[in-house]
Amino acid sequence: MKLKLQITLLTVLAVFMSCSEDSATDEFNQANQNASVKLITNLSVVSAQDASENQSVTINYNGNNQVANITDGVETSILVYDNDNLTNVTGEGETLNVEELYESPYDAFETGEVLQYDSNMNPVSIRFLEEEFDFVANTMSVVEYFAEIEYDATPNPFFYTLEAAGIIDVLDNVDLNFSMDVQAPEIVQARLLLPTNNIKKITYKDEDLTPIYQIVANYVYDAQNYPSTGTVTSTDLEDDSVSVYTTTFTYME
């Protein structure tokens, strides 16, 4: 599923709303007290039904344990720093496009408006819009959807990798009480949609709130409560088709 925990800060659409006054780091630490720092070096997805869907993302670090580049073997994103601050992302690839690991057909975490958070400041209800082709009218139309998300009581495994990429520092500087004219809207969007815990289930619903697609992730966690492997099952509830993927996380030693 393309449940894009979209960290490509330059491509998301803007939706501004007020929520916690805490920083992204504050919220993560409050939800995951004494969490171990673990940096992802590789993410792989193996499809049980179509080998062409297999993918692998490698994250390389410099001598300061900052993310130097991210590559899927075809496209590469290069991160540029100045005095340890992220200043630019170059190259053709996207910056840690996590959503693709779930093979989602929707972009809730890319374009969504958060309707509700849980006590750990995880977005649990999201409204989003998708542009779709109307074959009857032969025109494009915008359709409203919703996503309901559930979480394991474990840390967001991408948090410290995003921190090593300088992205968390950027999100920590977002003041959600400021007007949208003051700050880049795509950064505000990424801040509002950043989870503190690991996603285990997403249910997509149509404009009538009828469930139409569901993704369930069952992870095997290591001693530090970080996922090592997992099975992701995606079900199209409209035609009962099922797709299964195996995900593997590799961390820096």
Side-chain angles (χ1 to χ4, degrees), residues 114-212:
V114 181
L115 301 178
Q116 182 180 353
Y117 292 91
D118 66 13
S119 59
N120 284 342
M121 295 309 298
N122 292 301
V124 294
S125 180
I126 298 173
R127 171 187 175 272
F128 63 102
L129 303 175
E130 291 274 323
E131 191 175 53
E132 298 181 354
F133 186 75
D134 187 331
F135 289 95
V136 176
N138 198 33
T139 59
M140 296 298 293
S141 60
V142 176
V143 181
E144 181 182 55
Y145 290 100
F146 298 87
E148 305 294 332
I149 306 100
E150 298 177 27
Y151 299 83
D152 279 334
T154 57
N156 176 352
F158 304 98
F159 182 85
Y160 286 115
T161 303
L162 296 176
E163 184 178 63
I167 293 173
I168 296 300
D169 282 343
V170 173
L171 301 186
D172 278 348
N173 288 324
V174 173
D175 187 339
L176 297 176
N177 292 318
F178 283 1
S179 73
M180 219 168 120
D181 293 335
V182 177
Q183 301 166 101
E186 64 271 12
I187 296 177
V188 173
Q189 175 79 351
R191 168 70 179 88
L192 292 170
L193 287 165
L194 181 70
T196 62
N197 295 123
N198 193 27
I199 294 170
K200 68 176 182 181
K201 182 178 180 181
I202 305 167
T203 301
Y204 295 100
K205 299 180 179 181
D206 63 18
E207 58 186 348
D208 297 320
L209 298 181
T210 300
I212 56 174

